[in-house]
Amino acid sequence: MDIFTAASRMGRAARIESDALSLGEHGVIGDGLTCALIGRNGAVDWMCMPRFDSPSVFGSLIDAERGGTFRVCPARQPYESVQAYDSDTNVLQTLFRNGSGAVLVVTDSMPWTDDPRSSLHELHRLIECRAGEMALEVVFDPRFDYARGETRLESGEHGLMALGPGGERLALSVGADIEFRTRRGGGRVGKLTVRAGQHLWLILSYRAPAPEPPAAYRPFEQLRSTRRFWRGWASQLRYDGPWRHEVLRSALVLKMLQYAPTGAMVAAPTTSLPEGPSGDRNWDYRYSWTRDSAMAIRAMNVIGYSAEARHFFHFVRDTIDARGGLDLMVALDGQDVPAEILLEHLSGHRGHGPVRIGNGARDQSQLDITGWLLDAAYLHERAGGVLSLRLWRQIRDLVDRAIECADEPDHGIWEPRVAPAHHVHTKLMTWVAFDRAARLAPLFGDARAERRWTRARQNLRREILERGYDETAGSFVSAYGEKSVDATLLLFPSYGFLAPNDPRVASTIDRIQAELRAGRFLRRYDAPDGIDAGEGAFVLCGFWLSEALALAGALDEAMDVFHAHVEAANHLGLLAEEVDPASGAPLGNFPQAFSHLGLIQAAARLNLALRQRDEGLDAPPRLPFDPPQLD
């Protein structure tokens, strides 16, 4: 949808009367190294440079006063605005209209190059007046290093230069004669009037020696090249179902969240956006989790993006090789995730702190990750990739280590801040590790390992069915010896452990819906986790529920659940980690890879189910990369 189609639907327009926007009132652009979140008010409210996990340069999303911003908007409020992506791209347009009918369009992009290792580290803003005359305000207020040090601004012939305490440099090149003055609270503000037919460029360049005339950046050619790249990439989509627009937008988001130099995927480009209305559940997601990469390999292969799937796998492979083992999470270059610390000088999103950088879950024991790795390796082979003997030796050691650890408790997928337990999901994924390893072993003539892992798979399956299923409650449970359920139990049929029509699967789905449904959405669990604050419903879990229902033959119900979660996206189709069940407002880090991966997988499953129903086939909708079902 282009910006003028979007603008014609003025019911989607927002009347802007305050600079403090909600989370959902933002779009995102990126260049394969970092992202910028841009609000409907024309403000760059979040951007880290030069990569996703670098300190923020603009951080008003997590502190409206201290964080820093770069805003372009009409000088006098109120006004209306609407946002849309240029068709099949990650080029974002924001249209402003004031009471006199003047129309202004701001086109935001980060140039995409053929060689991401030599990224331009630039943000380009094209300002065009399409009708009437509008007074415009430009606010430039960068705050390097999460606003922990002083940022100095200097005026130059072609714009402004921001200098940070650690040697950081950020040039703002201005394509018009704007007189900037010092702004109360910091930064600079400039005003000008633009008339119909006029345009100007504002270009941010990280580490530039000085502001240059915008024409020196060849901005129109950079914009055309970036559009060509995204449209060419979008044309590779191999999904022809009824939710093509939503699937493509999710794929475009995932492409933006992949750190191009290494293939790593960030869970989200933000930190400390609260998962509940009161804050405290605020975490830094700008790192790469093994399970996220495994999910991405599955989802991207399903819709035709095999190259991206290979890049995700190669990053995991290279990280194992470099680190000599498998880690829960790593930084984007494969190094250690920083220790978790609080930034006490920042107030948090809309005042709901704390603000954290680094992630304390890096030190947790999460034994399910071997299963995610083996599932990824199995998918890689099925999609045409080749496992090397070197990697196979490493995998073999990891699977044998998983046998040794099979009786140990762990913290589990949800990263609670409580003592370890024998999580049933961890046992399931350990079973997946044994199953996929046994299937891969014949490729390497490893009959002895195949027999060993087959026995381990059989033994663990018996254990899960005996200790993970509560006969009294009639369902699987979240951990051995516990009574509660959690949403990961929906994955039993998806990963080939039990048939979709198994009565134990059906009764577990029923119980999860009875106990974890929150309106149209689904909570991931309802049990103490060591954190006092509440949270919303988990978007990924809703898509898991939709898939489980489709596999069980409840297609209409599956589609109702799917539509509820698709509608939880914002005006641009972007999904957060969680959603407030009462208001539908997004919660948590944004946009969230987990959520968009879940949408792609569920959309593919439902599309297949609809086709099978139309053809009169009565069989579970099994996707091409689903694992074979054991008897």
Side-chain angles (χ1 to χ4, degrees):
M1 181 190 303
D2 63 35
I3 192 65
F4 288 99
T5 302
S8 69
R9 305 177 182 180
M10 290 311 291
R12 299 289 300 255
R15 185 175 177 85
I16 306 296
E17 298 180 349
S18 169
D19 292 336
L21 298 183
S22 66
L23 174 60
E25 295 179 283
H26 290 84
V28 62
I29 60 174
D31 63 357
L33 289 127
T34 191
C35 284
L37 267 66
I38 302 173
R40 272 177 151 167
N41 61 352
V44 180
D45 284 333
W46 180 255
M47 187 171 72
C48 299
M49 283 293 219
R51 65 185 210 181
F52 293 101
D53 55 352
S54 299
S56 63
V57 176
F58 301 113
S60 55
L61 193 67
I62 54 173
D63 191 314
E65 292 185 8
R66 298 180 184 86
T69 189
F70 175 30
R71 188 171 70 246
V72 177
C73 65
R76 290 184 289 275
Q77 296 177 335
Y79 54 85
E80 291 181 323
S81 78
V82 64
Q83 278 185 324
Y85 282 108
D86 202 351
S87 298
D88 294 351
T89 76
N90 281 319
V91 174
L92 181 66
Q93 294 186 301
T94 308
L95 181 147
F96 299 100
R97 186 162 63 193
N98 63 19
S100 64
V103 175
L104 185 83
V105 175
V106 178
T107 300
D108 286 303
S109 65
M110 298 181 77
W112 194 283
T113 68
D114 291 333
D115 181 4
R117 292 171 178 81
S118 61
S119 172
L120 302 178
H121 298 304
E122 293 171 4
L123 186 154
H124 291 199
R125 314 197 75 178
L126 171 61
I127 301 164
E128 302 172 281
C129 187
R130 300 295 182 88
E133 177 182 294
M134 188 176 291
L136 185 66
E137 180 177 86
V138 177
V139 175
F140 183 61
D141 187 11
R143 307 285 179 94
F144 290 110
D145 192 22
Y146 307 106
R148 286 187 287 191
E150 180 183 0
T151 298
R152 184 162 50 92
L153 292 176
E154 296 179 352
S155 298
E157 181 181 359
H158 301 293
L160 299 171
M161 173 64 74
L163 304 171
E168 304 94 337
R169 301 174 67 87
L170 182 65
L172 173 62
S173 297
V174 181
D177 186 14
I178 304 177
E179 183 176 345
F180 286 93
R181 58 178 175 80
T182 300
R183 175 174 174 253
R184 179 186 295 182
R188 302 285 178 88
V189 59
K191 295 185 179 181
L192 74 158
T193 297
V194 289
R195 296 173 178 82
Q198 291 183 327
H199 76 269
L200 70 141
W201 286 94
L202 300 175
I203 295 178
L204 282 180
S205 182
Y206 189 72
R207 294 177 180 156
E212 301 278 354
Y217 292 92
R218 305 180 66 202
F220 279 113
E221 182 55 36
Q222 293 285 3
L223 180 58
R224 283 191 288 268
S225 176
T226 298
R227 282 175 168 145
R228 281 197 302 270
F229 166 78
W230 285 119
R231 287 174 180 153
W233 190 85
S235 69
Q236 301 172 39
L237 179 69
R238 297 294 178 265
Y239 173 86
D240 58 2
W243 303 284
R244 186 183 186 281
H245 176 79
E246 290 80 4
V247 168
L248 177 57
R249 179 49 52 195
S250 291
L252 287 163
V253 169
L254 294 175
K255 180 64 173 175
M256 269 196 296
L257 297 185
Q258 186 173 36
Y259 183 64
T262 64
M265 183 179 68
V266 291
T270 56
T271 181
S272 302
L273 299 180
E275 297 172 4
S278 61
D280 196 37
R281 294 180 182 269
N282 303 7
W283 317 110
D284 191 349
Y285 279 7
R286 297 171 299 155
Y287 309 109
S288 182
W289 274 253
T290 298
R291 70 173 63 90
D292 295 42
S293 294
M295 289 181 61
I297 291 165
R298 180 178 293 275
M300 295 303 261
N301 272 319
V302 164
I303 59 173
Y305 289 106
S306 57
E308 280 66 32
R310 286 195 301 272
H311 294 159
F312 289 132
F313 182 77
H314 291 161
F315 173 70
V316 176
R317 176 203 63 192
D318 294 345
T319 301
I320 291 171
D321 191 49
R323 297 175 69 89
L326 181 62
D327 291 273
L328 164 64
M329 67 176 86
V330 293
L332 303 179
D333 54 5
Q335 300 300 308
D336 289 344
V337 169
E340 185 174 292
I341 63 172
L342 298 180
L343 299 182
E344 297 182 356
H345 66 290
L346 297 177
S347 62
H349 178 64
R350 294 190 147 186
H352 297 302
V355 174
R356 294 182 172 97
I357 57 174
N359 198 303
R362 67 174 193 164
D363 299 320
Q364 288 190 351
S365 171
Q366 297 185 24
L367 301 176
D368 64 308
I369 58 173
T370 305
W372 292 105
L373 169 66
L374 265 294
D375 190 60
Y378 178 73
L379 286 168
H380 180 69
E381 274 281 344
R382 291 190 65 190
V386 177
L387 300 178
S388 68
L389 178 59
R390 178 184 177 89
L391 178 60
W392 176 248
R393 289 169 179 156
Q394 294 167 324
I395 287 175
R396 187 172 57 197
D397 292 343
L398 289 168
V399 177
D400 285 341
R401 172 62 179 154
I403 293 176
E404 296 173 5
C405 297
D407 293 332
E408 296 179 9
D410 77 336
H411 291 94
I413 184 176
W414 302 130
E415 301 178 352
R417 305 280 169 123
V418 294
H422 289 279
H423 294 98
V424 171
H425 171 261
T426 295
K427 307 301 182 183
L428 167 65
M429 295 311 297
T430 303
W431 176 89
V432 168
F434 301 155
D435 177 74
R436 307 306 191 261
R439 296 178 189 277
L440 289 169
L443 299 177
F444 298 88
D446 206 338
R448 182 179 298 177
E450 180 184 6
R451 290 192 297 271
R452 181 168 68 251
W453 296 331
T454 299
R455 287 194 302 271
R457 178 181 65 189
Q458 293 168 343
N459 293 337
L460 185 54
R461 188 174 192 272
R462 284 194 296 269
E463 178 186 303
I464 293 171
L465 294 176
E466 290 172 3
R467 301 183 62 190
Y469 187 81
D470 187 328
E471 293 285 354
T472 303
S475 75
F476 287 96
V477 291
S478 59
Y480 292 172
E482 296 186 6
K483 296 294 184 182
S484 62
V485 292
D486 78 281
T488 60
L489 303 174
L490 296 166
L491 298 177
F492 274 104
S494 300
Y495 283 85
F497 185 86
L498 286 174
N501 59 358
D502 190 293
R504 292 165 293 190
V505 170
S507 61
T508 300
I509 294 174
D510 289 344
R511 187 177 172 203
I512 286 173
Q513 293 212 75
E515 297 185 13
L516 299 183
R517 282 292 288 262
R520 305 176 70 198
F521 304 105
L522 191 71
R523 300 187 186 277
R524 49 183 173 167
Y525 54 78
D526 184 17
D529 60 4
I531 306 167
D532 291 335
E535 65 173 350
F538 208 83
V539 174
L540 173 63
C541 296
F543 288 125
W544 283 350
L545 175 60
S546 179
E547 280 200 80
L549 290 168
L551 282 165
L555 183 53
D556 290 339
E557 189 178 357
M559 290 178 62
D560 287 343
V561 172
F562 179 81
H563 288 146
H565 289 77
V566 167
E567 291 165 7
N570 76 347
H571 58 290
L572 294 167
L574 305 179
L575 289 162
E577 180 183 20
E578 301 192 10
V579 59
D580 184 333
S583 66
L587 296 170
N589 285 304
F590 174 88
Q592 179 81 7
F594 251 3
S595 301
H596 287 282
L597 289 166
L599 185 152
I600 289 171
Q601 187 77 13
R605 182 87 61 194
L606 292 180
N607 180 45
L608 178 58
L610 288 170
R611 288 169 54 191
Q612 289 183 175
R613 185 171 70 178
D614 290 346
E615 294 167 6
L617 299 177
D618 184 18
R622 301 194 62 81
L623 294 169
F625 295 100
D626 282 350
Q629 177 68 57
L630 290 176
D631 294 333

